[in-house]
Amino acid sequence: MKVGVFDSGVGGLSVLKSLLEARLFESIVYYGDTARVPYGTKDKQTIIRFSLQALEFFTSHRVDMLVVACNTASAYALDSLSHEAPFPVIGVITPGVLATQNKLSSKDASILVIATKATIASNLYAAKLQENGFYNVKSLATGLFVPFVEEGIYDGKPMQALLEYYFKGFESPNALILGCTHFPLIAPALSAYFGKDTILIHSGEAIVEYIQNTYHLSTHHILHSLEFFASDDVDALKHTAKLWLGNLYMP
Amino acid sequence: MKVGVFDSGVGGLSVLKSLLEARLFESIVYYGDTARVPYGTKDKQTIIRFSLQALEFFTSHRVDMLVVACNTASAYALDSLSHEAPFPVIGVITPGVLATQNKLSSKDASILVIATKATIASNLYAAKLQENGFYNVKSLATGLFVPFVEEGIYDGKPMQALLEYYFKGFESPNALILGCTHFPLIAPALSAYFGKDTILIHSGEAIVEYIQNTYHLSTHHILHSLEFFASDDVDALKHTAKLWLGNLYMP
């Protein structure tokens, strides 16, 4: 089975890593719209337009399924993509909500959603959590973590100052939803800030669980092909892929 | 005379502000490629491609001159733009170098150039400064100031931490070239960090001086038309324009 992984840039590599670890697919095509990244600061119509252009790419590559790794594209373009695509399209938001539900023992649990400005403005995480009975939900746009991760700043004083800037006044939640594919890279800093009792919800792990439960795919496939494409310089994407994926990288 | 002002996003508004204050033109068309901002982290070929697409826009708007406010586009695309355009195209780098030269009394003066990763990688500022006899030049990519400014963070603890992150170990230079249109917005923080003896070089002021000297335009024109266009939501650009331009804004 051939899956496409779509992201606005390199962030979706954290989702790709989970898919590779789970060995759900024989063939994977990753496309990052790195020439136009980030999406999270941009308008809804722009995000939909860019996502539909990416769909043409995946259609021409004859994928059997498309994973939208980007939370912002999942928030705004999933309906349009599902409507146009001749294959299933899976976003990260519903899987993230289900994973949160599975990991919390009480509906009274406190949940903090962090994501880009656009994803938070969509209110989709909070709305879906409420549909599932969770009302103790706060949402916060923490978009500056994205360029920090892109610059390779995962900790140290600037990261500490940014954590305090965003989270001062917030109590440690029972669950923290990492509503942006860049955020797993700063999971250690977030855990250190909020403490070990806060459960972190990671889009990659959530989507693997969701695909397994929904499509009953086995998890012992041998990967035959892993291809990378980008709208900006693809070598820069491959360079980051090597760093993020480690020995899971296959050129 | 009708001038086009091209920027990757909202940063060029700081250059537009200088042009408005100088009253050099009767008509101004601003175009921000806000759907694809930032340019400063992207590949040379991508920057050239996007800039040539912007040129089509300005050609169709029949401008008499084009100001490339974006340092990154100036660094990589100016030759391509000048080659294709039926009107003069002026970037910010040569004007910035000339303004630096005019403000420094000695060729031994120390100069620090700060800009995006792409602009610094082009090495254009340093090379042109050397052509003009300045050899005590350091260059530093400080790209994270861009999303900080876009988020409206101009000072406070995260800005202080970022200043220290970038500039720890750097002595205060005689001149600091603000090689990115976003940086004039954090001029007070930069001045506070380096001290009052460091002269800040601002692309907007530099380009006004350059246009006056090169084209001998008078400075008492009445503005008849100021139009804003964007590849993302234009209302977001206009909103920022109102904030940055104050009473110079004309809808």
Side-chain angles (χ1 to χ4, degrees), chain B residues 234-249:
Chain B
V234 75
D235 289 333
L237 172 66
K238 287 181 179 173
H239 177 76
T240 308
K242 274 178 213 168
L243 285 176
W244 287 27
L245 300 177
N247 58 12
L248 293 168
Y249 180 79

Side-chain angles (χ1 to χ4, degrees), chain A residues 134-246:
Chain A
F134 294 96
Y135 287 90
N136 190 359
V137 179
K138 287 178 178 153
S139 301
L140 186 66
T142 60
L144 285 175
F145 289 137
V146 176
F148 267 54
V149 167
E150 301 251 348
E151 287 278 309
I153 302 178
Y154 307 139
D155 47 31
K157 280 184 186 170
M159 178 55 77
Q160 197 56 38
L162 201 57
L163 288 164
E164 281 161 20
Y165 173 77
Y166 280 133
F167 298 130
K168 205 174 173 177
F170 280 84
E171 283 180 28
S172 292
N174 295 120
L176 178 69
I177 297 184
L178 308 180
C180 172
T181 49
H182 284 76
F183 297 173
L185 278 284
I186 54 161
L190 291 164
S191 272
Y193 186 88
F194 285 115
K196 297 234 171 254
D197 290 341
T198 295
I199 300 165
L200 304 193
I201 308 294
H202 176 309
S203 296
E205 292 164 14
I207 211 161
V208 164
E209 204 180 319
Y210 181 85
I211 292 173
Q212 283 177 325
N213 291 341
T214 310
Y215 296 94
H216 310 289
L217 301 182
S218 77
T219 57
H220 295 83
H221 293 287
I222 291 170
L223 187 72
H224 293 300
S225 158
L226 173 59
E227 293 174 284
F228 291 95
F229 297 89
S231 50
D232 194 35
D233 179 27
V234 75
D235 289 333
L237 172 65
K238 286 181 179 173
H239 178 76
T240 308
K242 274 176 213 167
L243 285 177
W244 288 26
L245 301 177

Side-chain angles (χ1 to χ4, degrees), chain B residues 1 3 18-25 65 67 90 95 98-99 102 203-221:
Chain B
M1 199 168 181
V3 69
S18 297
L19 292 173
L20 288 169
E21 284 167 343
R23 299 173 65 183
L24 294 173
F25 302 98
M65 180 185 283
V67 167
I90 305 162
L98 294 177
N102 291 342
S203 295
E205 292 163 14
I207 211 161
V208 164
E209 204 178 318
Y210 181 85
I211 292 173
Q212 284 177 325
N213 291 342
T214 310
Y215 297 94
H216 310 289
L217 301 182
S218 78
T219 57
H220 295 82
H221 292 287

Side-chain angles (χ1 to χ4, degrees), chain B residues 114-126:
Chain B
I114 57 172
T116 64
K117 202 188 292 182
T119 301
I120 294 300
S122 79
N123 201 40
L124 259 187
Y125 272 111

